[in-house]
Amino acid sequence: MAVGSGETGTLYPVQGITMAAVSAGIKSPGRLDCVLFDLGETARVAGVFTTNAFCAAPVVLCKQHLSKNIPRYFVVNTGNANAGTGQSGLDDALHVCREIAQSQNLPDSTVLPFSTGVIGEPLPVEKISAALPGALNSLTDDAWLDCAKGIMTTDTRPKACSKKVEMEGKSVTITGIAKGAGMIKPDMATMLAYVFTDAEVANDDLQAMLVQAADKSFNRITVDSDTSTNDCCMLTATGKSGVKVNLESSAFINALENVFVDLAKGLVRDAEGASKFVTVRVESGASNDECLRLAYTVAESPLVKTALFASDPNWGRILAAVGRAGLTDLDIARVAIYLDDVCIVENGAVAKGYTEQAGQAVMDREEITIRITLGRGEHAETVWTSDLSHEYVTINAEYRT
Amino acid sequence: MAVGSGETGTLYPVQGITMAAVSAGIKSPGRLDCVLFDLGETARVAGVFTTNAFCAAPVVLCKQHLSKNIPRYFVVNTGNANAGTGQSGLDDALHVCREIAQSQNLPDSTVLPFSTGVIGEPLPVEKISAALPGALNSLTDDAWLDCAKGIMTTDTRPKACSKKVEMEGKSVTITGIAKGAGMIKPDMATMLAYVFTDAEVANDDLQAMLVQAADKSFNRITVDSDTSTNDCCMLTATGKSGVKVNLESSAFINALENVFVDLAKGLVRDAEGASKFVTVRVESGASNDECLRLAYTVAESPLVKTALFASDPNWGRILAAVGRAGLTDLDIARVAIYLDDVCIVENGAVAKGYTEQAGQAVMDREEITIRITLGRGEHAETVWTSDLSHEYVTINAEYRT
């Protein structure tokens, strides 16, 4: 299942970036499962990574390499997460980086490795190494969709987004891809997202833009509350458009954040077993923290999620989730809850004039907003989530079979 | 589904306590759905209640009545939670209390009301009122099993437990019943538990014993992380055995806590859709708080729970859950994870000598312990949980149909 059409629109090349997706036969023969990006010689790269203490070997190495050198290549494999693999996992990830670096007479640390898939199995280094020459020989500037497919695991469709911004009479492009359908509650970034631009951005600004954009997008989605071991989100700027941008460049930053939000929502629309795309919006809270805490409590409640799957306007479960979120001194008389434009709860009870038909009409929709107003402040937060369906259970009960 | 036999053993009468379970026809004709306890004139009662801010009308009234008077009756209905019902819900709950109180020439506040079932629908006061005279006329001292059945919702079997303790040449009895299979992550108490003893206990000691016993039992279980609006746990002491006990009476307190733990585990064994009973034990932690936080993170992970459902020794998901629990400065090299007696993770990777067959042999069991040692302190905590199955989704997608 998945929600919406999943159309990606036109995916524009980003000057300076070339790419290839090939099949290394990691999980099944012929499937695209190995992706290579060549960032060129001028790129600046910013990254944010999972906060999971058991972070994967490629994440550890990626952070080390980023601190040592200017990256030239990203290499990504799916089908194997290289997580929970200890020292041999680090050796394996380094081996893959070295294969690429040595063929180009570059230091190992110019290559950043990424992996996604099953946790705890040894990385199939030989299969990946055998596939790399083919990838290096087939780099092009327009294989975005193949690359988006080549990083998928339980995703049912590729996620990609592209925007152009006109600045100083020139055109700046931002194009990104992402993957992830389960073990999704990113905390710093999500399970593999790569966004590229040909704008010229200073290193510090690039990192600040990335952190801010990730906070408004990948760090506001949850499928199943499980933060992955492998989350990485990379923002690369080649500078090839000749347009300099900084933290004051609002048109650029808006376009960048649109790309991030589009990709993040794309992950939720294609979440494991998703039949609904749900926006949980908390308004008039005393702080952003309490708004976010409440939004996640509702978005992660198994009972709210199964009611959404059933298209059942069981507003009592939303009310119960609001009540258990642990907000200090919550006055329930001031709380109101809406399904889209239908008020379901006010003054601590069902709203006057609410009818089951009105609630049912909203719940029958594929995209639904649950809006909660606390009536005690100026703060607001939004998170996006999916429902909990039989297919989620099936996918995750059968993942390794 | 449910785990284990569900046998309750012999349920001993408690001197001074009589009870009846009748059918008020709230959900389906003929089903036991209304339970009355007469506590006699000498009983002392302690209660702990849900911390959900949207707590139900009967919970609000129960707390008010407890503070005003010595309780004489508990009246419990299933099929309707009387939660999210505002002032009219309070009026309805009071009406039910008054029916009983007036028939016995007692103040309204001597009756404590309890409800469980669907949230947000008006309490069927007339049906309950019509059933009360029959309940008052059929009070006996041995209808424990009928009463345990009469408070069930999605439970598939009654939960009850009884212990006798010999003290001072006399016999003291403790008997309790409980219900709850979904919306279970009690926080102070659980979705309706009633424990009775004929020991004589001072009020303050009774409350202290209840809080401590609930903390070791109902406050250590989670089915789906959803804390209910209606949780109540009541401990009643009639004094009729002639044996005085206090906080130093270790034999009595041990027996009491055994009853609480037995009932709490009984809820998990009969959790919605449960096919596994899972103990999550965290040891050698720096504090009880971090042990509990980690235990709940593992116990509530949808990915761990679906792997348990599939009997899949996918230890990577346990490792990922440990990693995302947010423990400060966790050194993964010191962490070890066990499935029963099989070490699955040590030194940040799969344990030496671990085999898939050994993991599979444990996962095939119906009762499994996940044990995590942190190697940085003296603290430990245990929580109990169930798996996440198709039947959980079915039950909660179809709950109101």
Side-chain angles (χ1 to χ4, degrees):
Chain A
M1 287 187 277
V3 180
S5 73
E7 284 301 316
T8 56
T10 307
L11 301 173
Y12 307 107
V14 173
Q15 294 176 69
I17 303 290
T18 56
M19 67 210 76
V22 296
S23 176
I26 295 172
K27 267 193 101 170
S28 47
R31 180 179 163 180
L32 297 176
D33 55 14
C34 186
V35 168
L36 187 70
F37 284 100
D38 182 346
L39 314 178
E41 293 176 3
T42 60
R44 295 197 168 104
V45 175
V48 285
F49 302 91
T50 182
T51 54
N52 194 306
F54 275 100
C55 71
V59 174
V60 174
L61 204 61
C62 208
K63 289 198 258 188
Q64 286 176 5
H65 285 191
L66 250 184
S67 68
K68 278 190 197 164
N69 228 317
I70 297 170
R72 172 67 190 261
Y73 292 99
F74 295 165
V75 57
V76 196
N77 72 275
T78 183
N80 183 304
N82 195 7
T85 46
Q87 184 59 44
S88 66
L90 287 168
D91 295 344
D92 288 346
L94 181 60
H95 185 96
V96 170
C97 294
R98 184 162 294 162
E99 291 273 329
I100 299 166
Q102 289 190 343
S103 75
Q104 309 298 314
N105 290 315
L106 290 168
D108 299 344
S109 56
T110 59
V111 182
L112 303 187
F114 306 88
S115 296
T116 179
V118 178
I119 295 172
E121 293 180 3
L123 190 71
V125 176
E126 290 187 12
K127 288 183 179 177
I128 295 171
S129 298
L132 289 173
L136 283 161
N137 288 330
S138 57
L139 294 164
T140 70
D141 67 357
D142 62 355
W144 294 111
L145 213 53
D146 274 355
C147 289
K149 287 177 187 165
I151 62 174
M152 287 168 31
T153 48
T154 54
D155 308 63
T156 70
R157 60 198 190 193
K159 289 88 182 177
C161 180
S162 194
K163 301 274 177 203
K164 276 188 179 293
V165 195
E166 302 305 315
M167 299 177 76
E168 307 168 12
K170 294 175 185 164
S171 181
V172 173
T173 301
I174 305 166
T175 301
I177 63 170
K179 63 79 51 179
M183 201 176 267
I184 294 288
K185 182 186 182 177
D187 184 11
M188 285 312 286
T190 190
M191 190 80 176
L192 304 195
Y194 304 92
V195 178
F196 304 87
T197 177
D198 46 18
E200 187 179 341
V201 196
N203 277 329
D204 288 354
D205 283 5
L206 194 67
Q207 184 71 32
M209 286 176 188
L210 171 60
V211 168
Q212 185 173 307
D215 262 347
K216 293 183 176 178
S217 56
F218 298 116
N219 289 355
R220 290 295 180 276
I221 65 174
T222 181
V223 169
D224 49 17
S225 74
D226 273 309
T227 304
S228 157
T229 47
N230 288 53
D231 295 342
C232 295
C233 178
M234 310 300 294
L235 175 59
T236 302
T238 65
K240 293 283 186 187
S241 67
V243 179
K244 290 187 184 180
V245 300
N246 59 34
L247 296 176
E248 312 294 313
S249 310
S250 57
F252 176 81
I253 287 176
N254 282 343
L256 184 73
E257 292 180 356
N258 282 342
V259 170
F260 272 70
V261 168
D262 185 274
L263 291 171
K265 287 183 173 179
L267 298 195
V268 175
R269 285 199 173 86
D270 190 29
E272 287 174 348
S275 70
K276 304 275 185 193
F277 175 84
V278 184
T279 301
V280 182
R281 168 104 181 141
V282 179
E283 297 176 352
S284 59
S287 68
N288 285 74
D289 274 357
E290 77 169 23
C291 292
L292 207 52
R293 177 176 185 160
L294 176 52
Y296 273 119
T297 302
V298 172
E300 293 175 347
S301 159
L303 291 171
V304 171
K305 288 170 102 82
T306 46
L308 285 162
F309 168 56
S311 298
D312 178 8
N314 189 338
W315 55 268
R317 292 188 184 164
I318 303 172
L319 170 148
V322 173
R324 76 167 168 91
L327 268 53
T328 310
D329 299 328
L330 184 67
D331 178 1
I332 63 167
R334 285 164 169 261
V335 176
I337 307 176
Y338 299 80
L339 286 176
D340 282 354
D341 50 344
V342 176
C343 184
I344 53 174
V345 171
E346 61 186 357
N347 294 318
V350 65
K352 273 183 194 148
Y354 171 76
T355 63
E356 185 87 356
Q357 292 103 302
Q360 189 64 59
V362 176
M363 287 301 263
D364 286 340
R365 293 172 193 157
E366 202 178 50
E367 306 216 357
I368 297 168
T369 296
I370 299 171
R371 190 164 64 90
I372 301 151
T373 61
L374 298 178
R376 62 179 191 172
E378 303 293 317
H379 299 269
E381 282 283 358
T382 300
V383 307
W384 297 287
T385 192
S386 52
D387 54 332
L388 172 55
S389 66
H390 282 295
E391 197 173 324
Y392 178 88
V393 176
T394 299
I395 291 166
N396 285 299
E398 295 172 2
Y399 183 54
R400 301 204 312 166
T401 58
Chain B
M1 287 187 274
V3 181
S5 74
E7 285 300 316
T8 55
T10 307
L11 302 173
Y12 307 107
V14 173
Q15 294 177 68
I17 303 289
T18 57
M19 68 211 75
V22 295
S23 175
I26 295 172
K27 269 194 98 171
S28 47
R31 181 179 163 181
L32 297 176
D33 56 14
C34 185
V35 167
L36 188 69
F37 284 101
D38 181 346
L39 315 178
E41 293 175 4
T42 59
R44 293 196 169 103
V45 175
V48 285
F49 302 92
T50 181
T51 54
N52 194 306
F54 274 101
C55 71
V59 174
V60 174
L61 205 61
C62 208
K63 289 197 258 188
Q64 285 176 7
H65 285 189
L66 249 185
S67 68
K68 276 189 197 165
N69 226 317
I70 297 170
R72 172 67 190 260
Y73 292 98
F74 294 164
V75 57
V76 195
N77 73 274
T78 183
N80 182 303
N82 195 8
T85 46
Q87 184 59 45
S88 66
L90 287 168
D91 296 343
D92 289 346
L94 182 59
H95 185 97
V96 170
C97 294
R98 184 163 293 162
E99 290 272 329
I100 298 166
Q102 288 190 343
S103 75
Q104 309 298 313
N105 291 315
L106 291 167
D108 299 345
S109 56
T110 59
V111 181
L112 302 188
F114 305 87
S115 296
T116 179
V118 178
I119 295 172
E121 294 181 3
L123 191 71
V125 177
E126 290 186 11
K127 287 181 177 176
I128 295 171
S129 297
L132 290 173
L136 283 160
N137 288 330
S138 57
L139 294 164
T140 69
D141 67 357
D142 62 355
W144 294 112
L145 213 53
D146 274 355
C147 289
K149 287 177 188 165
I151 61 175
M152 285 168 31
T153 49
T154 52
D155 308 64
T156 70
R157 59 197 191 193
K159 289 88 179 179
C161 180
S162 194
K163 300 277 178 198
K164 275 186 179 294
V165 195
E166 303 305 315
M167 300 177 75
E168 307 168 13
K170 294 174 186 166
S171 181
V172 173
T173 301
I174 304 166
T175 301
I177 63 170
K179 64 80 50 180
M183 202 176 264
I184 294 287
K185 182 185 182 177
D187 184 11
M188 285 311 286
T190 191
M191 189 78 176
L192 304 193
Y194 304 94
V195 179
F196 304 88
T197 177
D198 45 18
E200 187 179 342
V201 195
N203 278 328
D204 288 354
D205 282 5
L206 195 67
Q207 184 70 33
M209 285 176 189
L210 171 59
V211 168
Q212 184 172 308
D215 262 349
K216 293 183 177 178
S217 55
F218 298 116
N219 289 355
R220 291 296 180 274
I221 66 174
T222 182
V223 169
D224 49 16
S225 75
D226 273 309
T227 304
S228 158
T229 48
N230 287 53
D231 295 341
C232 296
C233 178
M234 310 300 295
L235 175 59
T236 301
T238 65
K240 293 285 187 187
S241 68
V243 179
K244 290 186 185 182
V245 301
N246 58 34
L247 297 176
E248 312 295 312
S249 309
S250 58
F252 176 80
I253 287 175
N254 282 343
L256 184 73
E257 292 180 356
N258 282 342
V259 170
F260 272 69
V261 169
D262 185 276
L263 292 172
K265 287 184 173 179
L267 298 195
V268 175
R269 285 199 173 85
D270 190 29
E272 288 175 349
S275 71
K276 303 276 186 192
F277 175 85
V278 184
T279 301
V280 182
R281 169 105 182 140
V282 178
E283 297 176 352
S284 59
S287 68
N288 285 74
D289 273 358
E290 77 168 23
C291 293
L292 207 52
R293 177 177 186 161
L294 176 53
Y296 272 119
T297 301
V298 173
E300 293 175 348
S301 159
L303 291 171
V304 172
K305 288 169 102 81
T306 46
L308 285 162
F309 168 56
S311 298
D312 177 7
N314 189 336
W315 54 268
R317 292 190 182 163
I318 303 173
L319 170 148
V322 172
R324 77 167 167 90
L327 268 54
T328 311
D329 298 328
L330 184 66
D331 179 0
I332 63 167
R334 285 165 168 258
V335 175
I337 307 177
Y338 299 80
L339 286 176
D340 282 354
D341 51 343
V342 176
C343 185
I344 53 174
V345 171
E346 60 186 357
N347 294 318
V350 64
K352 273 185 195 148
Y354 172 77
T355 63
E356 185 87 358
Q357 293 101 302
Q360 189 64 59
V362 176
M363 287 301 264
D364 286 340
R365 294 171 193 158
E366 202 178 49
E367 307 214 359
I368 296 168
T369 296
I370 299 171
R371 189 163 65 91
I372 301 151
T373 60
L374 298 178
R376 61 180 193 171
E378 303 293 315
H379 299 268
E381 282 282 358
T382 299
V383 305
W384 297 287
T385 193
S386 51
D387 54 333
L388 173 55
S389 65
H390 282 295
E391 197 174 323
Y392 178 88
V393 176
T394 300
I395 291 166
N396 285 299
E398 297 173 1
Y399 183 53
R400 301 204 311 167
T401 58

